[in-house]
Amino acid sequence: MGTMARSALTTVYTRGVKPVIFRMHPDRVHDDMITYGSWAQRVTPVVAAAEALLAYEHPALVTEAYGLALRNPLGLGAGLDKNVAIPGILQATGFGFLTFGSVTSRVCDGNPRPWFHRLPAEESLVVHVGLANGGVERVAARLRDLAAHGSPRYTALPFTISIARTNDGLTGDVAEGVEDYVTSVRALDGLSPLIELNISCPNTMVGEAFTSPEALDRLLTAVDAAAPSQRIVLKMPSDKPWEAFRDLVDVALDHRVDGLTLANLRKDRDTVTMDPAVKGNLSGRPVRDLSTELVRRTYLHAGDRLTLAGLGGVFDGRHAYDKITAGATLVELVSGLIFRGPAVVGTIARELVALAQADGFDRVQDAVGSRADVPAALPS
């Protein structure tokens, strides 16, 4: 029943819903999704019914990461739900975990709109949000409220809060940036299983200030001293040469970092055809091979000392499986929901089981790193 329902829903989305919403501005679509989703998730039977149709459950999908037992290795990447507005809706799609944010220490208006631009032929979304969010205090209050009064369905799924440096006119030097991150870390202490430090958002006034080894070491030293109760994950840039990227990995290994998310938006836009006047960086397919190759090289370099999550251009089971066999324990997606629809998570989960079993693995997690010694094609 579930497979037939997901197939039917995918057809409805790609042939009916997607053509309609793709005629609307993506900023409006995103805002409407948050608004209507926050209303819809209050109807618990509807959310439960949606999850029954969309999610795919199988023992081979259960994944152990960060001391957690996840129902599958598929997670929502940061950026879709900045302020933890629609956890019930997102859980219903069948994810094994969710990432909210990125959130900043101060309320952040983000960059001037428009924030999004579609490249349908490239299966990419150009993103120029600039970390717009309601601030860490609002998110912390939301998490406390959900823990105290929310539906158990909203809080049952493991989740990560992604933290970034505030993007506003008060941004200062590296010391100010360190304090900005640490303020958020302290405000969120104990409110989530994981904290992701997003050091790689390219759409900000000061750029990626913590993607040099020296600055990253200062940041992680301060986070170590703050001693949050959560595990720490770094969200890494996508466009660094391997040698420079490896240096950042080595800094992470010297600190209390448990995992890496690979990787953020792609800054190189020469790979796509688009209006140069459009501001922003690339998600989706243009990031796919790049992120998979970073996963592979990082896995070979760091081994099991870091838990890797592959992010970028995951639209089907093969894309996810390629990241897993390259060394990713977890796989995240955002653009896949936009281009394939809400049934994509359950579809990928089912395809992962088939791919792993075809390779002789009893569990999907057993395939992690199984092809890490095979170089991928050069990222395009």
Side-chain angles (χ1 to χ4, degrees), residues 292-301 303 308 321-328 367-376:
T292 303
E293 180 63 5
L294 285 173
V295 166
R296 186 187 75 84
R297 293 186 178 191
T298 304
Y299 180 82
L300 290 175
H301 179 67
L308 306 183
Y321 194 61
D322 285 346
K323 294 189 189 304
I324 289 170
T325 57
V368 172
S370 58
R371 294 177 186 162
D373 59 345
V374 181

Side-chain angles (χ1 to χ4, degrees), residues 260-296:
L260 305 177
T261 303
L262 315 170
N264 215 323
L265 302 169
R266 186 168 187 174
K267 292 180 286 186
D268 179 6
R269 307 195 325 179
D270 292 340
T271 59
V272 301
T273 301
M274 61 178 292
D275 183 350
V278 172
K279 295 181 180 180
N281 299 277
L282 305 175
S283 72
R285 192 172 73 193
V287 193
R288 181 183 301 149
D289 293 342
L290 195 62
S291 68
T292 303
E293 180 63 5
L294 285 173
V295 166
R296 186 187 75 84

Side-chain angles (χ1 to χ4, degrees), residues 68-115:
L68 303 169
L70 309 177
R71 64 177 175 177
N72 64 57
L74 302 173
L76 175 75
L80 185 71
D81 186 355
K82 301 280 192 180
N83 299 307
V84 199
I86 52 171
I89 291 296
L90 294 171
Q91 175 163 325
T93 61
F95 283 113
F97 65 100
L98 303 171
T99 307
F100 300 107
S102 292
V103 62
T104 57
S105 71
R106 299 184 293 276
V107 176
C108 185
D109 293 332
N111 293 328
R113 292 189 185 247
W115 286 343

Side-chain angles (χ1 to χ4, degrees), residues 16-330:
V17 177
K18 183 177 169 183
V20 173
I21 64 174
F22 270 41
R23 288 195 292 268
M24 301 165 59
H25 195 282
D27 285 28
R28 178 187 168 188
V29 174
H30 180 268
D31 292 347
D32 287 350
M33 175 195 66
I34 297 297
T35 299
Y36 298 138
S38 64
W39 296 344
Q41 69 184 4
R42 299 172 189 172
V43 186
T44 302
V46 171
V47 175
E51 187 169 5
L53 291 174
L54 294 172
Y56 179 76
E57 307 285 348
H58 194 286
L61 287 166
V62 175
T63 300
E64 297 173 8
Y66 302 115
L68 303 169
L70 309 177
R71 64 177 175 177
N72 64 57
L74 302 173
L76 175 75
L80 185 71
D81 186 355
K82 301 280 192 180
N83 299 307
V84 199
I86 52 171
I89 291 296
L90 294 171
Q91 175 163 325
T93 61
F95 283 113
F97 65 100
L98 303 171
T99 307
F100 300 107
S102 292
V103 62
T104 57
S105 71
R106 299 184 293 276
V107 176
C108 185
D109 293 332
N111 293 328
R113 292 189 185 247
W115 286 343
F116 303 107
H117 179 82
R118 296 188 196 94
L119 299 177
E122 311 285 355
E123 292 187 308
S124 178
L125 196 67
V126 185
V127 181
H128 192 244
V129 178
L131 299 170
N133 71 98
V136 71
E137 293 299 336
R138 172 182 170 185
V139 168
R142 169 71 168 155
L143 294 175
R144 286 191 289 266
D145 184 63
L146 283 173
H149 307 294
S151 164
R153 301 190 62 81
Y154 291 11
T155 55
L157 207 63
F159 64 95
T160 301
I161 300 295
S162 182
I163 295 171
R165 183 184 187 180
T166 309
N167 177 38
D168 63 15
L170 299 177
T171 302
D173 59 10
V174 168
E176 181 278 330
V178 169
E179 182 57 31
D180 190 274
Y181 276 104
V182 171
T183 297
S184 294
V185 168
R186 288 172 175 154
L188 294 168
D189 189 15
L191 296 179
S192 66
L194 299 167
I195 287 177
E196 178 184 83
L197 301 178
N198 179 359
I199 63 169
S200 54
C201 179
N203 301 311
T204 63
M205 297 179 183
V206 295
E208 300 173 353
F210 289 94
T211 58
S212 71
E214 298 77 17
L216 180 59
D217 182 68
R218 287 183 64 178
L219 172 61
L220 294 180
T221 298
V223 172
D224 289 346
S229 59
Q230 296 100 319
R231 304 283 187 99
I232 299 296
V233 179
L234 288 185
K235 187 168 188 179
M236 301 291 280
S238 63
D239 290 80
K240 289 278 187 184
W242 167 246
E243 291 75 14
F245 190 94
R246 183 188 58 206
D247 289 344
L248 298 178
V249 174
D250 287 340
V251 173
L253 289 169
D254 287 338
H255 291 276
R256 215 201 83 186
V257 173
D258 296 285
L260 305 177
T261 303
L262 315 170
N264 215 323
L265 302 169
R266 186 168 187 174
K267 292 180 286 186
D268 179 6
R269 307 195 325 179
D270 292 340
T271 59
V272 301
T273 301
M274 61 178 292
D275 183 350
V278 172
K279 295 181 180 180
N281 299 277
L282 305 175
S283 72
R285 192 172 73 193
V287 193
R288 181 183 301 149
D289 293 342
L290 195 62
S291 68
T292 303
E293 180 63 5
L294 285 173
V295 166
R296 186 187 75 84
R297 293 186 178 191
T298 304
Y299 180 82
L300 290 175
H301 179 67
D304 60 2
R305 290 179 290 172
L306 293 167
T307 297
L308 306 183
L311 167 66
V314 178
F315 295 163
D316 62 32
R318 172 54 65 181
H319 302 151
Y321 194 61
D322 285 346
K323 294 189 189 304
I324 289 170
T325 57
T329 300
L330 307 173

